[in-house]
Amino acid sequence: MWWPQDGGTISAQDINQVISTINGSQLTNPGPMFNISTQVVTTTVATVTFSSVPAWRHIFLTWQTRCTNNSNNGNLYAQLNGNSTNNYYSQGLYTNAATAVADTHLAQPKFYLADVPAALNQSIISGSGWALFSNWSSTTFDMQFVSNGFCPLDNASNRSFIRSGAYNVGTGPYTSLTLTTDGNFDGTQSGGSIFTLSGSM
Amino acid sequence: MTLTGITPPAFTTITQGAVGGAGDVNQMIQSLNGTALYGPGPGWVQIATQTLGSTTSTVWFSGSFPVSIYNNFAFNHLALVYKARSSAAATTANLYLRPDFIQTATYDTDSLVGTGGTVTSSETNTQTSMTVGKIAAASSTASMYGVGWVVMPNWYAQNCLNACALNGTAFTNAGNATSANVFGGFSFDFSAITGGLGNRSALWILTDGNFVSGSSFTIYGSM
């Protein structure tokens, strides 16, 4: 990718490259995956909301976080457009040492996106992962996601997991994604918690 | 051509061959730098790629990331996409990561491996590298590889490093000898983190035995 130097001198070649980029295929055919927003949490917060999410083809969420719940682990939840009706369905599959565990959450008020470490782990521990909302801009199909992540735990087996889910109350448009957890998101550990929303057109 | 789905930028339509004003150019440059085009940075971009021309024991990405090539922006998140095969005398081999080549026994890995009608869950702790996948090895049918991708959120921060991975391995061409895998792991070299190491700058990729010629590895980053 061509990249102009911040503060540097702009040459005629740079301008031509910009114009050809805009006019050409790099941004519109179909273009790379752009960052929409990154939120870094350095305190404890109850929700992380991405508002004004554009009607792009695919939306991709990446996170590293932990929660304040007084337990080994909690969940990372997501709601679409702030809707809390019991129309979210999630299915998970995760490791528990030598046992594979499947869990399901039917007719819930939110997606179960991921496992995250909670307060009983040492403070440096946090969990990470990604979730893909494929065809976010569709007005034909229900919204679905697939996620994958890792949840390290001090007092139990770590969890490597994959999850998927569906929201069955019709179609979008979807303009916001609200993330919650059990208790609050804890961003007080070194480096804080981070949530990045990306998308492609 | 009108840019669709991008709001802002404030500029509207640029006609090919037309001369734009200075404001247009500045706006476009800001957009491409990530200032106006939503959020920080350009999103997921390719940082580097390697296709091996010979048998190689260790694939190493370093030097040019995470801070050098994009105006000293750091990449918050990294992803590795690979297609690889090992020379190890086995049907399959593991794929390992060593961020900053830290090789103390400070890595845990948990995995789900589905082969045929069986799913196997396993956990290996305090290892000297992080296992993030399986690839075909010398006893598998020639030309069979393993493919997958590994996401490392918050790579750059002073925080514990996690990796989560989805991958598949084909080890015969009979159609019934493949596996679908979910791997996850983390580095708990906390002394380095609390001591302020953070800012990881290199990634080593290893396997049992060596990577064979033709194996390919690509690193992507997101700010």
Side-chain angles (χ1 to χ4, degrees), chain B residues 165-188:
Chain B
L166 300 178
N167 53 88
T169 309
F171 39 91
T172 79
N173 54 14
N176 60 352
T178 61
S179 67
N181 315 314
V182 180
F183 275 75
F186 88 126
S187 164
F188 55 93

mmCIF file of all heavy atoms in Angstrom, chain B residues 165-188:
data_model
loop_
_atom_site.group_PDB
_atom_site.id
_atom_site.type_symbol
_atom_site.label_atom_id
_atom_site.label_comp_id
_atom_site.label_asym_id
_atom_site.label_seq_id
_atom_site.Cartn_x
_atom_site.Cartn_y
_atom_site.Cartn_z
ATOM 1 N N ALA B 165 -6.450 -19.227 16.854
ATOM 2 C CA ALA B 165 -6.130 -19.725 15.521
ATOM 3 C C ALA B 165 -7.160 -20.731 15.044
ATOM 4 O O ALA B 165 -7.636 -21.562 15.814
ATOM 5 C CB ALA B 165 -4.748 -20.373 15.533
ATOM 6 N N LEU B 166 -7.484 -20.640 13.791
ATOM 7 C CA LEU B 166 -8.286 -21.643 13.107
ATOM 8 C C LEU B 166 -7.437 -22.195 11.972
ATOM 9 O O LEU B 166 -6.823 -21.433 11.232
ATOM 10 C CB LEU B 166 -9.574 -21.034 12.534
ATOM 11 C CG LEU B 166 -10.534 -20.399 13.522
ATOM 12 C CD1 LEU B 166 -11.735 -19.812 12.783
ATOM 13 C CD2 LEU B 166 -11.007 -21.412 14.549
ATOM 14 N N ASN B 167 -7.385 -23.503 11.857
ATOM 15 C CA ASN B 167 -6.579 -24.053 10.776
ATOM 16 C C ASN B 167 -7.071 -25.436 10.368
ATOM 17 O O ASN B 167 -7.816 -26.096 11.084
ATOM 18 C CB ASN B 167 -5.102 -24.108 11.182
ATOM 19 C CG ASN B 167 -4.872 -24.830 12.488
ATOM 20 O OD1 ASN B 167 -4.702 -26.031 12.501
ATOM 21 N ND2 ASN B 167 -4.899 -24.095 13.603
ATOM 22 N N GLY B 168 -6.635 -25.820 9.214
ATOM 23 C CA GLY B 168 -6.979 -27.137 8.676
ATOM 24 C C GLY B 168 -5.742 -27.804 8.134
ATOM 25 O O GLY B 168 -4.822 -27.144 7.657
ATOM 26 N N THR B 169 -5.718 -29.104 8.233
ATOM 27 C CA THR B 169 -4.575 -29.868 7.755
ATOM 28 C C THR B 169 -5.063 -30.989 6.861
ATOM 29 O O THR B 169 -5.985 -31.727 7.226
ATOM 30 C CB THR B 169 -3.793 -30.494 8.932
ATOM 31 O OG1 THR B 169 -3.526 -29.480 9.880
ATOM 32 C CG2 THR B 169 -2.509 -31.120 8.449
ATOM 33 N N ALA B 170 -4.465 -31.117 5.706
ATOM 34 C CA ALA B 170 -4.708 -32.272 4.839
ATOM 35 C C ALA B 170 -3.449 -33.106 4.834
ATOM 36 O O ALA B 170 -2.369 -32.585 4.594
ATOM 37 C CB ALA B 170 -5.057 -31.808 3.430
ATOM 38 N N PHE B 171 -3.581 -34.398 5.129
ATOM 39 C CA PHE B 171 -2.372 -35.204 5.137
ATOM 40 C C PHE B 171 -2.457 -36.443 4.252
ATOM 41 O O PHE B 171 -1.506 -37.181 4.143
ATOM 42 C CB PHE B 171 -1.922 -35.571 6.550
ATOM 43 C CG PHE B 171 -3.013 -35.919 7.514
ATOM 44 C CD1 PHE B 171 -3.429 -37.231 7.647
ATOM 45 C CD2 PHE B 171 -3.608 -34.939 8.289
ATOM 46 C CE1 PHE B 171 -4.414 -37.554 8.554
ATOM 47 C CE2 PHE B 171 -4.606 -35.258 9.192
ATOM 48 C CZ PHE B 171 -5.012 -36.570 9.319
ATOM 49 N N THR B 172 -3.601 -36.702 3.645
ATOM 50 C CA THR B 172 -3.612 -37.607 2.507
ATOM 51 C C THR B 172 -4.590 -37.044 1.499
ATOM 52 O O THR B 172 -5.416 -36.192 1.829
ATOM 53 C CB THR B 172 -4.068 -39.049 2.848
ATOM 54 O OG1 THR B 172 -5.484 -39.069 2.926
ATOM 55 C CG2 THR B 172 -3.458 -39.557 4.118
ATOM 56 N N ASN B 173 -4.495 -37.517 0.283
ATOM 57 C CA ASN B 173 -5.428 -37.050 -0.729
ATOM 58 C C ASN B 173 -6.584 -38.016 -0.901
ATOM 59 O O ASN B 173 -7.273 -38.016 -1.908
ATOM 60 C CB ASN B 173 -4.721 -36.818 -2.070
ATOM 61 C CG ASN B 173 -3.970 -38.053 -2.521
ATOM 62 O OD1 ASN B 173 -4.173 -39.144 -1.993
ATOM 63 N ND2 ASN B 173 -3.107 -37.873 -3.505
ATOM 64 N N ALA B 174 -6.787 -38.852 0.092
ATOM 65 C CA ALA B 174 -7.882 -39.817 0.020
ATOM 66 C C ALA B 174 -9.215 -39.179 0.391
ATOM 67 O O ALA B 174 -10.260 -39.803 0.254
ATOM 68 C CB ALA B 174 -7.611 -41.002 0.945
ATOM 69 N N GLY B 175 -9.172 -37.978 0.867
ATOM 70 C CA GLY B 175 -10.406 -37.275 1.169
ATOM 71 C C GLY B 175 -10.917 -37.509 2.571
ATOM 72 O O GLY B 175 -11.856 -36.855 3.013
ATOM 73 N N ASN B 176 -10.327 -38.438 3.292
ATOM 74 C CA ASN B 176 -10.814 -38.690 4.645
ATOM 75 C C ASN B 176 -9.715 -38.507 5.682
ATOM 76 O O ASN B 176 -9.832 -38.972 6.792
ATOM 77 C CB ASN B 176 -11.378 -40.103 4.755
ATOM 78 C CG ASN B 176 -10.348 -41.158 4.434
ATOM 79 O OD1 ASN B 176 -9.260 -40.820 3.998
ATOM 80 N ND2 ASN B 176 -10.706 -42.409 4.625
ATOM 81 N N ALA B 177 -8.668 -37.905 5.325
ATOM 82 C CA ALA B 177 -7.568 -37.700 6.271
ATOM 83 C C ALA B 177 -7.246 -36.216 6.323
ATOM 84 O O ALA B 177 -6.223 -35.755 5.833
ATOM 85 C CB ALA B 177 -6.352 -38.520 5.877
ATOM 86 N N THR B 178 -8.146 -35.505 6.891
ATOM 87 C CA THR B 178 -7.959 -34.082 7.102
ATOM 88 C C THR B 178 -8.350 -33.774 8.540
ATOM 89 O O THR B 178 -8.996 -34.583 9.217
ATOM 90 C CB THR B 178 -8.816 -33.236 6.157
ATOM 91 O OG1 THR B 178 -10.193 -33.542 6.392
ATOM 92 C CG2 THR B 178 -8.489 -33.544 4.699
ATOM 93 N N SER B 179 -7.976 -32.623 8.995
ATOM 94 C CA SER B 179 -8.413 -32.222 10.321
ATOM 95 C C SER B 179 -8.781 -30.750 10.298
ATOM 96 O O SER B 179 -8.238 -29.975 9.507
ATOM 97 C CB SER B 179 -7.330 -32.482 11.376
ATOM 98 O OG SER B 179 -6.210 -31.647 11.164
ATOM 99 N N ALA B 180 -9.727 -30.400 11.155
ATOM 100 C CA ALA B 180 -10.110 -29.003 11.358
ATOM 101 C C ALA B 180 -9.796 -28.665 12.807
ATOM 102 O O ALA B 180 -10.197 -29.405 13.724
ATOM 103 C CB ALA B 180 -11.590 -28.808 11.069
ATOM 104 N N ASN B 181 -9.097 -27.566 13.018
ATOM 105 C CA ASN B 181 -8.513 -27.323 14.325
ATOM 106 C C ASN B 181 -8.800 -25.921 14.845
ATOM 107 O O ASN B 181 -8.823 -24.962 14.069
ATOM 108 C CB ASN B 181 -6.986 -27.499 14.252
ATOM 109 C CG ASN B 181 -6.573 -28.748 13.474
ATOM 110 O OD1 ASN B 181 -7.140 -29.824 13.682
ATOM 111 N ND2 ASN B 181 -5.639 -28.599 12.573
ATOM 112 N N VAL B 182 -8.985 -25.838 16.143
ATOM 113 C CA VAL B 182 -9.078 -24.561 16.839
ATOM 114 C C VAL B 182 -7.954 -24.543 17.869
ATOM 115 O O VAL B 182 -7.895 -25.426 18.736
ATOM 116 C CB VAL B 182 -10.428 -24.394 17.561
ATOM 117 C CG1 VAL B 182 -10.485 -23.046 18.281
ATOM 118 C CG2 VAL B 182 -11.582 -24.542 16.594
ATOM 119 N N PHE B 183 -7.067 -23.589 17.745
ATOM 120 C CA PHE B 183 -5.963 -23.479 18.696
ATOM 121 C C PHE B 183 -6.005 -22.119 19.382
ATOM 122 O O PHE B 183 -6.426 -21.126 18.794
ATOM 123 C CB PHE B 183 -4.606 -23.619 17.985
ATOM 124 C CG PHE B 183 -4.151 -25.040 17.790
ATOM 125 C CD1 PHE B 183 -4.737 -25.830 16.819
ATOM 126 C CD2 PHE B 183 -3.148 -25.575 18.573
ATOM 127 C CE1 PHE B 183 -4.334 -27.149 16.633
ATOM 128 C CE2 PHE B 183 -2.730 -26.890 18.390
ATOM 129 C CZ PHE B 183 -3.328 -27.674 17.420
ATOM 130 N N GLY B 184 -5.560 -22.092 20.615
ATOM 131 C CA GLY B 184 -5.391 -20.821 21.306
ATOM 132 C C GLY B 184 -4.257 -20.961 22.292
ATOM 133 O O GLY B 184 -3.994 -22.048 22.812
ATOM 134 N N GLY B 185 -3.575 -19.874 22.533
ATOM 135 C CA GLY B 185 -2.475 -19.932 23.478
ATOM 136 C C GLY B 185 -2.128 -18.553 23.979
ATOM 137 O O GLY B 185 -2.639 -17.548 23.480
ATOM 138 N N PHE B 186 -1.282 -18.536 24.991
ATOM 139 C CA PHE B 186 -0.820 -17.245 25.482
ATOM 140 C C PHE B 186 0.557 -17.352 26.086
ATOM 141 O O PHE B 186 1.022 -18.433 26.450
ATOM 142 C CB PHE B 186 -1.840 -16.610 26.425
ATOM 143 C CG PHE B 186 -1.727 -16.974 27.884
ATOM 144 C CD1 PHE B 186 -1.623 -15.976 28.840
ATOM 145 C CD2 PHE B 186 -1.770 -18.285 28.300
ATOM 146 C CE1 PHE B 186 -1.555 -16.284 30.190
ATOM 147 C CE2 PHE B 186 -1.702 -18.609 29.645
ATOM 148 C CZ PHE B 186 -1.591 -17.609 30.594
ATOM 149 N N SER B 187 1.203 -16.212 26.127
ATOM 150 C CA SER B 187 2.517 -16.097 26.727
ATOM 151 C C SER B 187 2.353 -15.460 28.092
ATOM 152 O O SER B 187 1.771 -14.376 28.207
ATOM 153 C CB SER B 187 3.424 -15.221 25.853
ATOM 154 O OG SER B 187 4.547 -14.805 26.590
ATOM 155 N N PHE B 188 2.840 -16.116 29.107
ATOM 156 C CA PHE B 188 2.737 -15.525 30.443
ATOM 157 C C PHE B 188 4.112 -15.151 30.977
ATOM 158 O O PHE B 188 4.439 -15.358 32.132
ATOM 159 C CB PHE B 188 1.976 -16.441 31.408
ATOM 160 C CG PHE B 188 2.523 -17.837 31.539
ATOM 161 C CD1 PHE B 188 3.425 -18.155 32.522
ATOM 162 C CD2 PHE B 188 2.096 -18.835 30.682
ATOM 163 C CE1 PHE B 188 3.912 -19.443 32.661
ATOM 164 C CE2 PHE B 188 2.577 -20.137 30.812
ATOM 165 C CZ PHE B 188 3.494 -20.432 31.790
#
